[in-house]
C-alpha cells in the first residue's frame, strides 16, 4: 500500500523513483505470495505484482479499489479485496508475506493483527518513524510482547517529502520476521505477566532482592532503562527458574 492515514487524510507515495528506492530494501521474489495492506492508488501494488507470484491487495476504499484495478488490467496474478484490514481473516495454513504502508492512527491494532492473527513469515511495513522507534523500546510492553513473536528491525527512514500530500512527520520501513520457535501457551501467559510487572517496575512481585541481583548479574545488566531483548529474555528465564 502506498498510503498513510493521519486522522482523515490520505498520503500517497507516487514517485516511481521513491518507490523503487523502497522496494530495493525489500526481499521479495517470484515465488512469494503477498498480502498488501491497502492498495491505495496501486503504485506499490503494480510493483508487487511484477515481482511476486500472487498479490492479494486489501483496500477499504471502494473508489481506490477501482483505481488500482484499472492499473492492473494486463495482469492475472492478483485480486483486490474491498475490506477493512482489521476485519479481514488471513489464511491459517498458507505461506505468505505481508507488505503495507499502514495508517498512523491504527498502527498498533494492525501490528497486533499481523503478529497474532496472521502466519506471515515476513512483514514489510511503512509506519510513522516515532512508532517504529517505540516498537524497539524495551521499556514498553508492546515492544516486549511483540519481540517474543517476531524480530523487529528498521530498514530505512522514509522522509515525509516522499508522500503527497506531505505529512508532518517522517516514516520508516520496518521488517517483522516470525521467530521459528513459538513460546508454549504456558510460557506465553507467564511472559505476559512478567512483562506487565516489569514495565510497571513491580520488581518485588517478580523477584526477592537476592534473586533480582542474581538475575541482573546473569543477564549482565548495568542499566535497567537500557536493556537489549536478549537481556530481558535472560531475566524472564531467571524468573521461571526461581518460580518452578
Amino acid at each position: 500500500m502506498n498510503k498513510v492515514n493521519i486522522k482523515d487524510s490520505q498520503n500517497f507515495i507516487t514517485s516511481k523513483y521513491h518507490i523503487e528506492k523502497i522496494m530495493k530494501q525489500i526481499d521479495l521474489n517470484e515465488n512469494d505470495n503477498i498480502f498488501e495492506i491497502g492498495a491505495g492508488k496501486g503504485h506499490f501494488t503494480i510493483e508487487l505484482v511484477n515481482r511476486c507470484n500472487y498479490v492479494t491487495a486489501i483496500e477499504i476504499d471502494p473508489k481506490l479499489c477501482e483505481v488500482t484495478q484499472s492499473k492492473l488490467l494486463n495482469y492475472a496474478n492478483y485480486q483486490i479485496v474491498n475490506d477493512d484490514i482489521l476485519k479481514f481473516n488471513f489464511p491459517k495454513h498458507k505461506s505468505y508475506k505481508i507488505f503495507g504502508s499502514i495508517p498512523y492512527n491504527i498502527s498498533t491494532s494492525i501490528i497486533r493483527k499481523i503478529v497474532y492473527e496472521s502466519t506471515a513469515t515476513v512483514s514489510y511495513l511503512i509506519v510513522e518513524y516515532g512508532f517504529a522507534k517505540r516498537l524497539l523500546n524495551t521499556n514498553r510492553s508492546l515492544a516486549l510482547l511483540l519481540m517474543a513473536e517476531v524480530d523487529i528491525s528498521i530498514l530505512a527512514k522514509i522522509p515525509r517529502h516522499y508522500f503527497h500530500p506531505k505529512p508532518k512527520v517522517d516514516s520508516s520501513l520496518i521488517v517483522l520476521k516470525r521467530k521459528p520457535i513459538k513460546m508454549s501457551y504456558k510460557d506465553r501467559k507467564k511472559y505476559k505477566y512478567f512483562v506487565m510487572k516489569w514495565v510497571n517496575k513491580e520488581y518485588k512481585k517478580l523477584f526477592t532482592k537476592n534473586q533480582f541481583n542474581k538475575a541482573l548479574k546473569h543477564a549482565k545488566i548495568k542499566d535497567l532503562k537500557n536493556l537489549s531483548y536478549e537481556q530481558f529474555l535472560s531475566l524472564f528465564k531467571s524468573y521461571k527458574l526461581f518460580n518452578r
Side-chain angles (χ1 to χ4, degrees), residues 16 92 116:
K16 191 164 180 64
K92 298 291 184 189
Y116 298 114

Side-chain angles (χ1 to χ4, degrees), residues 143-157:
L144 291 170
L145 291 170
L146 294 177
M147 285 175 182
E149 309 290 333
V150 293
D151 290 318
I152 306 168
S153 304
I154 296 176
L155 296 178
K157 194 169 182 179

Side-chain angles (χ1 to χ4, degrees), residues 3 5 38-39 58-63 65 81-85:
K3 72 177 182 185
N5 293 344
I58 304 135
E59 172 56 56
I60 195 170
D61 187 331
K63 290 181 181 177
C65 287
V81 180
N82 182 202
D83 201 357
D84 179 348
I85 185 58

Side-chain angles (χ1 to χ4, degrees), residues 221-242:
I221 293 168
K222 294 179 181 177
D223 180 2
L224 288 178
K225 293 180 181 178
N226 188 24
L227 303 183
S228 69
Y229 181 66
E230 288 69 27
Q231 287 174 316
F232 184 79
L233 211 52
S234 175
L235 288 171
F236 176 59
K237 287 175 181 175
S238 294
Y239 166 75
K240 285 199 299 176
L241 282 172
F242 293 136

Side-chain angles (χ1 to χ4, degrees), residues 45 49 53-56 68-69 72-73 75-80:
T45 314
V49 166
N53 178 56
Y54 197 85
V55 177
T56 300
T68 298
Q69 201 137 18
L72 299 171
L73 295 175
Y75 298 89
N77 61 325
Y78 79 95
Q79 64 171 325
I80 297 175

Side-chain angles (χ1 to χ4, degrees), residues 94-123:
K94 288 185 177 180
S95 176
Y96 56 88
K97 296 177 181 178
I98 289 174
F99 174 84
S101 177
I102 64 179
Y104 291 176
N105 57 338
I106 54 170
S107 294
T108 299
S109 298
I110 291 177
I111 293 278
R112 285 182 182 277
K113 186 173 183 75
I114 289 170
V115 172
Y116 298 114
E117 295 183 34
S118 86
T119 57
T121 53
V122 181
S123 300

Side-chain angles (χ1 to χ4, degrees), residues 198-213:
W198 182 268
V199 170
N200 289 332
K201 298 182 171 59
E202 298 178 64
Y203 309 131
K204 289 180 181 178
K205 291 188 177 179
L206 299 172
F207 301 103
T208 65
K209 188 175 181 180
N210 186 43
Q211 287 172 348
F212 194 40
N213 289 333

